[in-house]
Amino acid sequence: MSLRATARIAADADGSLPVLTSDGPLALRRTRAAVPGWTRVTVVGAMSAPLGGDRLAIETEVRDGARLRVDSAAATLALPGRSPEPAAYELRLRVGGDAVLRWLPEQLVSAHGSDLRVRTDVDLAPTACLVLREEQVLGRHGEPPGTLVSRLAVRRAGAPLLDQELAYGPGASGGWDGAAVLGGHRATGQLLVVDPAYEGAPPPARPLGESAALTPLAGPAVLVTAVAPDALALRRILDAALDELAPE
């Protein structure tokens, strides 16, 4: 039987969490923040999910002036299920005025035979800051990937800042594994940093080593995209970019 579950987080500027609601496989835990003035929530998987046909979501509201870090205790593993329908995993993030959200989960692993649709919707106030990391590992060791479609849509002050969709695996159109996309790599990811301080003077576009690039967006934001042979190499690339662009 397919699961339907929505977990919810709301953070206030005083460090409180007036809403912290777990649901189904999405267990939320308040954990100790490494930096004073921040609130931290860790997502702990309570069971195997998402499976085929599951519908999971996390809704997060960072209220005016709050500083929230959300991470996860382990990688998310997309697995095949009894249902032939694809699984869906939605993230709905809202960041208020002078608020900061650092969304830094562990990797999403697309196991062979799985079919997952991920959608991340972000709404930012004009003075909000965002650090968002996505990492996808296409297949476990020695296996081909499942089908993974991931869409990221970010709005700032109601206007589009970024809207992109990526698709990998047997259900994607041809060329996803070609030289112009992954070039044989099996780990891919991106780091999005939105900061009003970039208004008018974002970091310049440039390569970051041999398999990553930094691109300024049409707004106070930069996007780092990377491919790598494995999850560890990908994390090293994105961690270096995070240390440069958004040190905590």
Side-chain angles (χ1 to χ4, degrees):
M1 183 176 179
S2 299
L3 289 171
R4 301 290 188 273
T6 300
R8 295 178 173 86
I9 306 168
D12 276 339
D14 62 2
S16 64
L17 292 167
V19 179
L20 189 65
T21 306
S22 303
D23 192 12
L26 301 171
L28 306 178
R29 301 289 183 264
R30 179 165 189 158
T31 48
R32 180 176 297 177
V35 179
W38 284 78
T39 304
R40 180 184 176 194
V41 172
T42 299
V43 182
V44 180
M47 62 183 73
S48 295
L51 307 177
D54 289 350
R55 298 290 183 269
L56 308 180
I58 299 178
E59 298 179 351
T60 300
E61 180 187 6
V62 188
R63 297 174 179 172
D64 293 354
R67 294 174 176 265
L68 175 67
R69 175 191 171 112
V70 179
D71 51 30
S72 58
T76 297
L77 180 60
L79 294 165
R82 294 181 180 178
S83 172
E85 296 296 318
Y89 190 14
E90 295 188 19
L91 304 173
R92 297 186 282 271
L93 315 178
R94 307 290 180 265
V95 188
D98 298 316
V100 185
L101 173 62
R102 296 174 72 96
W103 189 270
L104 300 169
E106 294 301 307
Q107 298 90 354
L108 168 62
V109 181
S110 176
H112 179 58
S114 65
D115 190 349
L116 176 62
R117 307 292 187 267
V118 180
R119 183 179 178 104
T120 303
D121 281 300
V122 186
D123 278 298
L124 303 173
T127 55
C129 292
L130 171 72
V131 176
L132 184 147
R133 182 181 68 207
E134 291 185 332
E135 297 172 307
Q136 294 97 23
V137 179
L138 305 178
R140 292 170 292 191
H141 181 70
E143 73 173 9
T147 295
L148 174 62
V149 180
S150 177
R151 183 170 181 178
L152 172 61
V154 182
R155 291 167 295 276
R156 178 176 179 264
L161 178 66
L162 176 67
D163 194 336
Q164 67 175 21
E165 183 172 279
L166 305 172
Y168 307 104
S173 59
W176 65 270
D177 199 23
V181 185
L182 292 180
H185 290 96
R186 279 296 178 267
T188 181
Q190 56 190 354
L191 177 73
L192 174 66
V193 180
V194 183
D195 191 334
Y198 290 158
E199 197 80 63
R206 65 184 189 276
L208 301 176
E210 297 181 354
S211 59
L214 183 153
T215 304
L217 303 181
V222 293
L223 180 68
V224 174
T225 54
V227 295
D230 55 45
L232 180 59
L234 177 67
R235 177 62 60 85
R236 287 172 176 162
I237 294 169
L238 295 182
D239 275 354
L242 180 61
D243 289 343
E244 175 187 346
L245 297 170
E248 196 168 39

